[in-house]
């Protein structure tokens, strides 16, 4: 930068300083619903958000704490700004809806430090009518000697930033005298990754939270904070500070800093969803996908959204074992039984856990014994893959790493090649160890331990994903890093865990309570698909019952979206519930359109989805521990068309605690002008297929 320009900036900064806070740039959403204003207050940058003229986010800090060169938040001057309007629609290869509209206004504002070292960054806001995202973009350093950015005067400006933290804040507005917003959240920086029960507390009682975190203000405004496109960066935790402010705290790296990046780079998008209702909040999650870059893999039609069964629930019930021995689950004979069951009932996949060496002994948090290219002697993988192929079924791979992530990277390419040869085109990965225990091998061979959501782990997942894509393999990550919409760019990252799934129903300690899924819909599910593994029609874990009714197990297939859904129970259990099992067999996993018809965070949710490329609609409704009667107008159906509603509902007297098997399957003709009355039992649910009748020829 020329000296003259720097002087101008300095003068501008002084002028702004004298006038106190000044709005230096602003942008509105396309429909004028949201407005973002950028302020400079004595050279300190902040942003705020208004909705329909009312404050939602009060002036909140932006900036960085950088190692070596200190905080980057003051003495800033605006050097340029530009806006842009985008209205485009793109097609998902698979998803909750086929077409996604990206309609936003963008503001790019460039800031320069008016004192040495004269660092620069852009802040880019994309503002939709139902939320926004912003990110920092740090340009390449100046090369000219004496220019700002040339910290040591040599002309070699710092080529990298070591970020000790982001200073990004979200100051939630609260009008004087009004009750505090309610927050639904799980703790971050604790041992169990993302697997906690959602807490509902006043905002002031939030500690350090993972995102998405969902808030509801006293007058019903719904907010969710998350991030999009988390790549080569640390996951953002949110720490509540001073009343109603949430401040970014990035997951640490083993080196002690949070992030290290060469310039130029940009951060993930920090996202805020803002809507009038819980239902609209779910819908607004499209902005997370919109903020991710388009598909880089090209044609991914080789990935087929599908349902799978597998040798899994028995392991969690402890009737079979991952380890070899008399109760080993992954035997050739047992797997053949599952393959035949899958083929007989139209399931594409058969997951087998415990198929490879490494499970004998202490594998939890120690995955050095895992071999991903060899099967145990009792598992004839070649013969089983051939049998599966003959029956039109695919084995689903399982790569539990026990968090020995570098050890896994050594083998993954060979393992994926073997998988591809055997027709195994989906692999479930796993990272079971306490949070902060991901094992990274350093160049000198020593092991460092990383967080599941630190920068190194973000890059690890990226390496796995790209290696898998080279072999046309889709990945389903358990104990993952959170979902930030990268499936748009790499559509082979199809689903993941990242919350308490059905397995907690097997273990207890404590089991998932009836409100769990109604919490998930409006928190975890805002971030993307989840491999929850529903469909436990036996409703029985190890020593305790699962806290849902039978009908609710069916509803979960519609309510909790995933392009891979497991029918998680044992074949012999399904044999006892064939009327209910029919719904699991028929329900699709890929959708043309999705509508959240009704819901309240943590209380209930009603979701309708239309089969992709089909005419039928499916509805799922779940409630918490309270029974409910909900009226659902069927406006989403095609007008003038007759449908047969195949209703799977809680029977009379059903209750998750003492009458969970009370279940009714019935059919009736409906049209779009009808209203369905859903009666949900305490802990219950309902699943409906609307089968379009063929019009008379
Ligand atoms: C935890 C996963 O969530 C579960 O599905 C799997 O069976 C075990 N880890 C073993 O890998
Ligand atoms: Ca898990």
């Amino acid at each position: 930068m020329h000296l003259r320009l720097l002087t101008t900036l300095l003068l501008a900064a002084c002028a702004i300083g004298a006038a106190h806070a000044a709005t230096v740039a602003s942008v509105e959403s396309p429909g004028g619903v949201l407005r973002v204003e950028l302020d400079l207050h004595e050279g300190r940058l902040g942003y705020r958000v208004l909705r329909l003229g009312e404050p939602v986010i009060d002036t909140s800090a932006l900036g960085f704490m950088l190692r070596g060169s200190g905080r980057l938040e003051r003495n800033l001057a605006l050097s340029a700004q530009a806006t842009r309007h985008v209205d485009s629609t793109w097609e998902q290869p698979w998803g909750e809806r086929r077409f996604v509209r990206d309609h936003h206004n963008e503001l790019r504002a460039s800031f320069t430090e008016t004192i040495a070292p004269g660092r620069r960054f852009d802040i880019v806001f994309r503002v939709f009518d139902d939320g926004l995202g912003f990110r920092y973009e740090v340009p390449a350093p100046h090369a000219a000697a004496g220019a700002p950015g040339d910290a040591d005067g040599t002309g070699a400006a710092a080529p990298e930033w070591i970020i000790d933290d982001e200073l990004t804040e979200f100051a939630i507005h609260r009008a004087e005298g009004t009750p505090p917003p309610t927050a639904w959240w799980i703790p971050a920086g604790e041992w169990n990754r993302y697997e906690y029960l959602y807490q509902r507390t006043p905002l002031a009682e939030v500690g350090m939270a993972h995102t998405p975190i969902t808030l509801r203000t006293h007058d019903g405004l719904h907010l969710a904070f998350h991030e999009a496109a988390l790549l080569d960066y640390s996951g953002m935790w949110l720490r509540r500070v001073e009343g109603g402010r949430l401040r970014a705290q990035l997951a640490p790296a083993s080196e002690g800093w949070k992030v290290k990046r060469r310039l130029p780079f940009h951060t993930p998008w920090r996202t805020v969803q803002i809507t009038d209702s819980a239902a609209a909040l779910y819908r607004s999650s499209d902005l997370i996908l919109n903020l991710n870059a388009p598909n880089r893999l090209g044609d991914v039609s080789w990935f087929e959204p599908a349902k799978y069964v597998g040798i899994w629930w028995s392991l969690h019930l402890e009737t079979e074992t991952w380890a070899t021995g008399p109760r080993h689950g992954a035997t050739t004979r047992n797997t053949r039984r599952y393959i035949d069951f899958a083929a007989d009932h139209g399931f594409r996949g058969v997951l087998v856990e415990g198929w490879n060496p490494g499970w004998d002994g202490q594998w939890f948090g120690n995955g050095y014994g895992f071999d991903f290219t060899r099967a145990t002697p009792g598992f004839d993988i070649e013969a089983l893959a051939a049998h599966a192929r003959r029956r039109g079924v695919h084995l689903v791979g399982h790569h539990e790493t026990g968090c020995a992530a570098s050890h896994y990277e050594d083998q993954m390419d060979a393992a994926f090649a073997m998988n591809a040869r055997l027709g195994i085109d989906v692999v479930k990965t796993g990272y079971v160890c306490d949070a902060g225990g991901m094992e990274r091998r350093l160049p000198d061979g020593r092991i460092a331990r990383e967080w599941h959501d630190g920068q190194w782990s973000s890059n690890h997942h990226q390496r796995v994903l790209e290696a898998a894509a080279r072999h046309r393999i889709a990945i389903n990550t358990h104990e993952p890093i959170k979902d930030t919409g990268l499936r748009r760019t790499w559509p082979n990252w199809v689903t993941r865990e990242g919350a308490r799934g059905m397995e907690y129903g097997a273990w207890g300690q404590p089991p998932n309570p009836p409100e769990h899924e109604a919490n998930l819909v409006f928190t975890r599910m805002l971030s993307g698909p989840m491999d929850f593994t529903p469909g436990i029609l036996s409703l029985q874990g190890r020593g305790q019952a699962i806290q849902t009714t039978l009908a609710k197990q069916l509803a979960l297939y519609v309510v909790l979206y995933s392009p891979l859904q497991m029918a998680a129970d044992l074949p012999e259990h399904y044999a006892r519930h064939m009327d209910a099992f029919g719904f699991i067999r028929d329900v699709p996993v890929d959708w043309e359109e999705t509508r959240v018809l009704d819901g309240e965070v943590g209380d209930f949710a009603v979701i309708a989805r239309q089969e992709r490329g089909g005419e039928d609609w499916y509805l799922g409704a779940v409630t918490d521990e309270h029974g409910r009667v909900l009226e659902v107008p069927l406006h989403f159906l095609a007008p003038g068309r007759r449908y047969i509603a195949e209703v799977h509902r809680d029977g009379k007297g059903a209750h998750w605690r003492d009458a969970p098997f009370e279940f009714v399957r019935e059919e009736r003709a409906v049209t779009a002008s009808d209203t369905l009355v859903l009666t949900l039992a305490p802990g219950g649910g309902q699943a409906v297929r609307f089968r379009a009748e063929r019009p008379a020829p």
Side-chain angles (χ1 to χ4, degrees):
M1 189 183 304
H2 293 295
L3 205 56
R4 199 164 38 183
L5 180 52
L6 183 61
T7 319
T8 318
L9 289 174
L10 269 166
L11 290 173
C14 295
I16 288 161
H20 298 294
T23 299
V24 293
S26 66
V27 59
E28 277 192 356
S29 63
V33 178
L34 295 183
R35 180 180 171 82
V36 173
E37 297 182 344
L38 285 181
D39 292 346
L40 274 178
H41 178 66
E42 294 174 353
R44 197 187 272 255
L45 177 61
Y47 75 98
R48 58 207 158 98
V49 181
L50 300 113
R51 184 172 191 268
L52 302 169
E54 307 275 345
V56 177
I57 305 222
D58 293 330
T59 302
S60 302
L62 294 166
F64 293 93
M65 224 140 54
L66 297 177
R67 188 156 296 188
S69 51
R71 294 169 86 94
L72 174 53
E73 57 163 352
R74 296 158 181 266
N75 306 302
L76 294 170
L78 180 73
S79 47
Q81 62 170 298
T83 55
R84 189 165 79 101
H85 175 72
V86 171
D87 189 1
S88 62
T89 297
W90 54 280
E91 185 174 354
Q92 301 207 73
W94 48 267
E96 301 95 317
R97 59 179 50 84
R98 182 192 289 248
F99 296 107
V100 179
R101 184 176 179 196
D102 180 358
H103 193 202
H104 69 263
N105 287 328
E106 180 184 287
L107 166 70
R108 172 180 295 274
S110 307
F111 292 90
T112 304
E113 249 181 330
T114 52
I115 56 169
R119 294 164 294 189
R120 302 177 302 155
F121 65 88
D122 289 359
I123 181 107
V124 181
F125 275 87
R126 289 196 183 156
V127 187
F128 305 76
D129 281 328
D130 54 9
L132 58 99
F134 63 88
R135 74 179 181 192
Y136 303 88
E137 298 191 8
V138 183
H142 289 292
D150 175 24
D152 54 9
T154 61
E160 68 183 18
W161 276 14
I162 292 178
I163 300 174
D164 276 327
D165 235 315
E166 252 183 64
L167 299 171
T168 311
E169 283 186 350
F170 308 89
I172 321 302
H173 177 78
R174 177 173 166 198
E176 246 187 77
T178 61
T182 304
W184 286 264
W185 60 286
I186 53 170
E190 297 289 340
W191 71 275
N192 200 358
R193 309 168 305 260
Y194 303 97
E195 296 176 20
Y196 289 93
L197 292 174
Y198 278 82
Q199 306 187 44
R200 175 197 164 131
T201 69
L203 174 58
E205 287 170 28
V206 173
M208 177 97 83
H210 272 305
T211 71
I213 173 176
T214 298
L215 307 184
R216 187 172 67 208
T217 67
H218 76 285
D219 52 0
L221 196 67
H222 287 68
L223 305 173
F225 299 86
H226 189 47
E227 57 184 308
L230 168 53
L231 276 169
D232 194 6
Y233 207 81
S234 278
M236 179 179 73
W237 302 342
L238 289 175
R239 177 191 285 288
R240 192 195 50 78
V241 291
E242 286 180 86
R245 270 190 299 143
L246 296 171
R247 179 183 292 160
Q249 182 157 330
L250 302 173
S254 58
E255 290 95 339
W257 56 67
K258 304 293 173 56
V259 170
K260 181 168 159 178
R261 286 294 297 266
R262 293 187 72 78
L263 275 51
F265 76 93
H266 54 73
T267 67
W269 295 93
R270 280 64 189 86
T271 60
V272 190
Q273 297 168 236
I274 310 173
T275 63
D276 285 315
S277 66
L281 190 71
Y282 185 90
R283 173 66 197 236
S284 70
S285 277
D286 279 359
L287 72 83
I288 292 169
L289 289 173
N290 280 325
L291 292 169
N292 276 273
N295 178 355
R296 282 201 198 148
L297 297 181
D299 176 21
V300 286
S301 56
W302 47 264
F303 169 66
E304 263 182 65
K307 284 169 293 186
Y308 68 103
V309 296
I311 298 176
W312 181 77
W313 185 245
S314 55
L315 306 170
H316 291 273
L317 290 180
E318 294 182 349
T319 54
E320 293 180 327
T321 59
W322 283 277
T324 57
R327 287 187 296 124
H328 191 200
T331 63
T332 303
R333 192 154 145 239
N334 202 19
T335 306
R336 263 184 96 98
R337 185 168 73 93
Y338 275 84
I339 291 172
D340 292 339
F341 178 80
D344 291 347
H345 297 286
F347 293 95
R348 184 181 191 272
V350 176
L351 169 74
V352 186
E353 299 198 358
W355 67 277
N356 60 331
W359 293 92
D360 302 350
Q362 180 50 270
W363 60 270
F364 179 111
N366 163 33
Y368 285 92
F370 283 124
D371 184 329
F372 304 100
T373 56
R374 257 184 336 119
T376 52
F379 187 78
D380 188 344
I381 194 167
E382 301 283 339
L384 286 166
H387 181 62
R389 186 172 293 126
R390 275 196 299 278
R391 301 234 43 199
V393 169
H394 295 251
L395 292 174
V396 172
H398 185 232
H399 293 170
E400 172 58 60
T401 67
C403 289
S406 293
H407 172 72
Y408 178 45
E409 286 188 35
D410 295 343
Q411 297 183 45
M412 67 183 174
D413 205 59
F416 291 142
M418 179 187 87
N419 292 152
R421 183 174 63 74
L422 296 171
I424 300 172
D425 53 8
V426 171
V427 171
K428 169 178 171 178
T429 58
Y431 297 88
V432 175
C433 68
D434 288 356
M438 287 278 273
E439 297 194 357
R440 159 194 183 187
R441 194 184 313 112
L442 300 171
D444 64 6
R446 282 180 306 128
I447 296 294
R449 295 197 186 264
E450 302 288 350
W451 287 84
H452 281 68
D453 49 358
Q455 184 182 9
W456 186 84
S457 294
S458 139
N459 287 322
H460 166 77
H461 287 295
Q462 203 53 36
R463 288 190 289 270
V464 172
L465 202 59
E466 292 184 19
R470 286 195 290 276
H471 297 276
R472 299 191 151 195
I473 285 172
I475 296 293
N476 165 11
T477 316
H478 278 236
E479 298 76 52
I481 191 168
K482 64 184 161 182
D483 194 342
T484 58
L486 292 169
R487 63 181 154 134
R488 179 176 179 192
T489 317
W490 288 278
N492 69 321
W493 204 351
V494 293
T495 191
R496 76 190 72 202
E497 192 184 39
R500 276 172 152 250
M502 184 58 81
E503 61 194 17
Y504 281 81
W507 311 337
Q509 57 143 327
N512 296 328
E515 66 164 17
H516 184 58
E517 297 85 358
N519 276 326
L520 287 180
V521 172
F522 301 107
T523 53
R524 160 68 182 81
M525 300 310 290
L526 299 177
S527 71
M530 176 175 179
D531 186 36
F532 183 85
T533 70
I536 300 299
L537 301 189
S538 50
L539 299 179
Q540 186 56 41
R542 212 163 71 207
Q544 79 290 316
I546 285 168
Q547 302 192 350
T548 78
T549 64
L550 184 66
K552 187 176 185 180
Q553 287 293 317
L554 305 185
L556 296 177
Y557 286 88
V558 183
V559 168
L560 301 178
Y561 169 66
S562 176
L564 295 175
Q565 288 280 23
M566 187 170 199
D569 212 339
L570 311 179
E572 53 271 35
H573 291 167
Y574 285 135
R576 295 207 290 269
H577 298 282
M578 287 314 278
D579 49 347
F581 180 63
F583 184 84
I584 300 181
R585 213 177 36 209
D586 296 345
V587 66
V589 288
D590 196 20
W591 307 102
E592 193 72 31
E593 188 46 271
T594 286
R595 307 261 169 82
V596 181
L597 303 175
D598 204 352
E600 290 294 347
V601 189
D603 297 339
F604 71 101
V606 185
I607 302 187
R609 306 188 196 262
Q610 185 181 27
E611 179 174 14
R612 179 135 176 189
E615 297 183 307
D616 294 359
W617 281 80
Y618 291 76
L619 177 146
V622 295
T623 183
D624 58 6
E625 69 281 13
H626 300 295
R628 278 167 220 278
V629 180
L630 302 169
E631 294 199 353
V632 180
L634 302 180
H635 299 324
F636 54 89
L637 298 176
R641 200 71 195 269
R642 242 172 71 101
Y643 295 79
I644 301 301
E646 301 173 0
V647 174
H648 306 76
R649 63 173 174 83
D650 295 322
K652 196 154 177 283
H655 193 295
W656 69 268
R657 194 183 291 117
D658 48 22
F661 291 105
E662 290 302 327
F663 170 80
V664 173
R665 186 191 179 286
E666 63 196 5
E667 297 192 359
R668 55 178 275 213
V670 295
T671 68
S673 47
D674 287 323
T675 293
L676 208 63
V677 179
L678 313 180
T679 304
L680 311 181
Q686 188 162 142
V688 185
R689 174 184 185 179
F690 297 93
R691 211 171 62 232
E693 287 208 322
R694 305 293 147 243

